[in-house]
Amino acid sequence: TAKSTLLHLLPTAVNTASPITSTDDAKTQFGGGSEIHHMARAIFDEVADATVYGLAYAEAGAGVAAAKTFTVTNASVLGGNLALYCNGVRVDVTIDDAMSANNQAARINSTLNALTDLPFTCTVLGAVVTATWKHKGARSNQFILRYAVESITASTYAVADTVAGATDGDPSTALDTIANDDYDVFVIGANVNDATVGINKFVTYANNRADPLVDLRGVVVSATLETYANTVTLATSQNAHRLFLQWCRSAEDTT
């Protein structure tokens, strides 16, 4: 059975590989809505008895988490359903007749915060809900929040980007801690061509492990949501036989 390691930034203990037995176990160990939690869920949905380890590495000290605002304008006349789509996950919020903008925002905030599997947390001030990604770094710019109005009249809604995510973490220390351990597949969130925080770091690591003097062979799995042209540029810049680069343009899931 292949032994996989999920390498991601997390808000919990770092630089220690830990076995994951289920999606709920990943949530308990690494936090609901964390990258490892979502990756583990994807794996266990496909292979229930997969052998999986999670390895967290530290966020950059200068890292910034992406944030968006969701603003409600005007009280409703007729209520209905407000469907929020959070990176592909639909969340339904019931809006009452004659519900003020502030009360709508408060309900949206409480509904979203009750769903601890989401990759962001919310705060509310007046009629504005601010949603902040749980992980710092440029990858948090994959944050998608959109909505659909169903039957509600008079109220209007708007989503705005307010903070851009920046500065992913460096996985070097975490990778060094498993230098002598045999893993077959390294599943990563890195999605850019960068020698310090990008795909390059992991590919170089996998190549070094496969050296005849070490003989710990494995492959790296990454993903991109970019255009075809940018994906070709990324793939050719790597040109690595130990890398599997998945592509799904403009997907609402994250890499």
Side-chain angles (χ1 to χ4, degrees):
T1 301
K3 185 177 179 183
S4 298
T5 303
L6 310 178
L7 299 110
H8 287 291
L9 290 135
L10 299 166
T12 55
V14 298
N15 304 330
T16 302
S18 176
I20 300 172
T21 59
S22 66
T23 302
D24 287 342
D25 183 38
K27 180 177 180 177
T28 298
Q29 290 194 62
F30 300 106
S34 65
E35 289 184 335
I36 286 186
H37 176 214
H38 286 172
M39 297 283 304
R41 180 173 60 195
I43 287 177
F44 288 119
D45 280 351
E46 297 295 330
V47 184
D49 61 349
T51 301
V52 180
Y53 288 73
L55 177 59
Y57 59 94
E59 296 177 323
V64 178
K68 298 179 183 290
T69 55
F70 189 90
T71 302
V72 185
T73 304
N74 301 324
S76 62
V77 173
L78 293 178
N81 187 66
L82 180 64
L84 301 175
Y85 294 88
C86 312
N87 281 89
V89 176
R90 175 173 170 140
V91 178
D92 292 310
V93 182
T94 300
I95 302 300
D96 302 330
D97 295 345
M99 193 174 194
S100 72
N102 284 13
N103 286 344
Q104 289 186 53
R107 181 169 293 177
I108 292 165
N109 179 73
S110 61
T111 299
L112 291 174
N113 277 335
L115 302 174
T116 56
D117 287 1
L118 293 176
F120 59 87
T121 57
C122 297
T123 57
V124 64
L125 181 62
V128 180
V129 177
T130 299
T132 304
W133 202 252
K134 289 180 178 177
H135 292 301
K136 297 177 181 178
R139 288 207 300 278
S140 64
N141 291 318
Q142 298 174 54
F143 187 1
I144 294 173
L145 180 60
R146 59 184 179 85
Y147 66 92
V149 176
E150 300 172 352
S151 303
I152 303 166
T153 63
S155 296
T156 59
Y157 307 93
V159 177
D161 295 327
T162 54
V163 179
T167 316
D168 288 337
D170 184 343
S172 297
T173 301
L175 292 173
D176 287 344
T177 65
I178 58 171
N180 298 315
D181 299 328
D182 188 10
Y183 295 95
D184 301 308
V185 183
F186 295 88
V187 186
I188 67 174
N191 61 336
V192 293
N193 183 21
D194 185 277
T196 302
V197 300
I199 297 171
N200 311 51
K201 172 70 71 173
F202 298 94
V203 171
T204 299
Y205 180 76
N207 287 339
N208 290 342
R209 287 168 58 89
D211 184 275
L213 296 178
V214 182
D215 199 29
L216 293 174
R217 289 168 288 180
V219 297
V220 176
V221 176
S222 186
T224 178
L225 312 178
E226 288 285 345
T227 64
Y228 174 74
N230 288 345
T231 299
V232 170
T233 299
L234 178 61
T236 53
S237 70
Q238 294 296 319
N239 192 27
H241 69 284
R242 294 193 178 278
L243 171 66
F244 291 88
L245 180 63
Q246 317 303 313
W247 174 48
C248 188
R249 179 176 179 176
S250 301
E252 293 205 352
D253 204 349
T254 65
T255 55

